[in-house]
Amino acid sequence: MALRMWASSTANALRISVASKTNLSSSYSLSRCFSSVLDGLKYATSHEWVKHEGSVATVGITDHAQDHLGEVVFVDLPETGTSVTQGKGFGAVESVKATSDVNSPISGEIVEVNSKLSEAPGLINNSPFDEGWIIKVKPSNASELDSLMGPKEYTKFCEEEDAAH
Amino acid sequence: MRSRSLEVWKLGRVNYLEALKLQEKLASDRKAHKISDTLLSLQHPPTYTLGKRKTEHNLLVQISELEKMGAELHYTQRGGDITYHGPHQAILYPIISLRSVGLGARAYVENLELTMIEFASLYGVKAFPGKKGETGVWVQDRKIGAIGVRISSGITSHGLAFNIDPDLNYFKHIVPCGIADKEVTSLRRETGTVLPSEEVIHEQLISCFAKVFGFTSLVWKENASILSDNEKS
């Protein structure tokens, strides 16, 4: 948890340095080291996480994703009751700079959306794995989870992706 | 450094919806690894576009009046607020895999800013990225270039618009990118020198893009039949 807090304070510091445009490339290379990955979650290559508990799977975007996106200003939420498909987009997250589609890591029916994000889209930046969750899904095929990455694999995936820079 | 190739399509003037359809097709082809990173270079007829947030309050005229002005209005899936596109404004729509260039969303957009800043400097114009919350590229407090980007499964679409010498009156009907009390400017207005042909300008902008993003080889496609081929397929 301490590391996580350090990570977010580093991210905040970076955001300030990005805003003042002092040195973009160095702030970028620093940021790659500090995104956190949580145990117990599954991860998609398009940087969403899913947490399966009982009959419900909670979905959000990862710390890595929010960090690369920057300050989130708008979240385009889907409707409860609609269905989502693994690997297909269900909504979008807009930062001051770009709009990024959000894909569902699992197929099923949306049973709840995080309406708090309409008023407070910044929850995605401040608490990507907790208060910044986006939808809850009743999975139609829980075995799809097996095709996703675990925390170690995902950490490695992010490192490789950043190293490609 | 590894050689990276970019396919550049020079399309001339293209209707907004046609360009949108082409981008969607290319983005899906890029996602399926059917094509390499691609850059569309074009201009639009007079068009106002809104981003995903649908901030119509920043359009200052009735939609019926837009038709009288000969302008179209389109809703898009990009980020950002309302903007204007039109003749004598250079547009670049990169359809690239962020994973292949090793960039996150923010770094990608900062590279688009840098592309326009480098380009403006060729004409002795000192441009800067917007302050916090202000997108695009500015000359002092005058906006010269706009950015609106969509990222879908790591593939980019939409992109940047740089004002070479558009009719700036069109910007009076909107609050550009939602920022009030700010002027819009153009390269023509900011530089004392005579500008070369727009074809040369587009090529310079493309070169700046390639340099900033580290593309080492450019494959030029200058085929007017691209769009009609696309419609048939």
Side-chain angles (χ1 to χ4, degrees), chain B residues 174-213:
Chain B
I174 57 172
V175 183
C177 297
I179 305 163
D181 309 324
K182 292 284 164 85
E183 235 185 292
V184 176
T185 190
S186 64
L187 186 62
R188 169 75 192 282
R189 187 177 272 197
E190 296 296 336
T191 184
T193 55
V194 178
L195 296 178
S197 72
E198 294 200 346
E199 176 156 14
V200 170
I201 288 182
H202 272 257
E203 278 174 16
Q204 289 170 334
L205 187 59
I206 292 163
S207 299
C208 290
F209 176 89
K211 198 174 118 198
V212 166
F213 282 85

Side-chain angles (χ1 to χ4, degrees), chain B residues 8-80:
Chain B
V8 183
W9 294 22
K10 288 162 73 179
L11 297 172
R13 191 174 294 183
V14 186
N15 173 278
Y16 190 82
L17 280 185
E18 250 183 297
L20 194 63
K21 264 194 276 174
L22 179 61
Q23 289 183 71
E24 279 167 7
K25 178 169 189 308
L26 291 173
S28 120
D29 286 353
R30 183 66 190 92
K31 189 182 167 190
H33 303 285
K34 283 190 208 157
I35 58 168
S36 59
D37 287 335
T38 300
L39 180 67
L40 305 183
S41 169
L42 53 92
Q43 297 192 5
H44 287 308
T47 311
Y48 293 95
T49 65
L50 284 155
K52 205 145 191 157
R53 276 176 280 163
K54 296 194 170 71
T55 46
E56 280 115 340
H57 57 273
N58 286 324
L59 177 66
L60 306 174
V61 291
Q62 297 293 319
I63 289 173
S64 56
E65 281 183 55
L66 293 181
E67 278 174 30
K68 282 184 216 154
M69 296 189 299
E72 296 180 10
L73 175 69
H74 291 293
Y75 295 84
T76 79
Q77 301 294 308
R78 64 167 169 78

Side-chain angles (χ1 to χ4, degrees), chain A residues 70-152:
Chain A
E71 187 192 340
V72 173
V73 294
F74 177 71
V75 185
D76 190 15
L77 294 166
E79 305 260 324
T80 303
T82 52
S83 61
V84 288
T85 309
Q86 186 177 44
K88 291 271 163 25
F90 66 81
V93 173
E94 179 173 347
S95 74
V96 283
K97 301 282 190 181
T99 290
S100 184
D101 288 1
V102 185
N103 293 344
S104 186
I106 191 160
S107 307
E109 185 196 326
I110 300 175
V111 291
E112 197 181 339
V113 301
N114 188 356
S115 51
K116 268 194 201 164
L117 294 176
S118 312
E119 295 300 315
L123 288 173
I124 296 223
N125 297 116
N126 302 331
S127 179
F129 293 115
D130 185 21
E131 286 183 82
W133 66 273
I134 302 174
I135 55 168
K136 293 190 187 206
V137 174
K138 190 177 150 201
S140 54
N141 179 6
S143 68
E144 281 179 346
L145 288 165
D146 299 338
S147 65
L148 300 170
M149 290 178 277
K152 274 187 192 151

Side-chain angles (χ1 to χ4, degrees), chain B residues 150-167:
Chain B
R150 180 182 181 195
I151 297 158
S152 183
S153 299
I155 309 297
T156 63
S157 56
H158 297 279
L160 68 83
F162 187 92
N163 296 333
I164 307 168
D165 187 20
D167 180 351

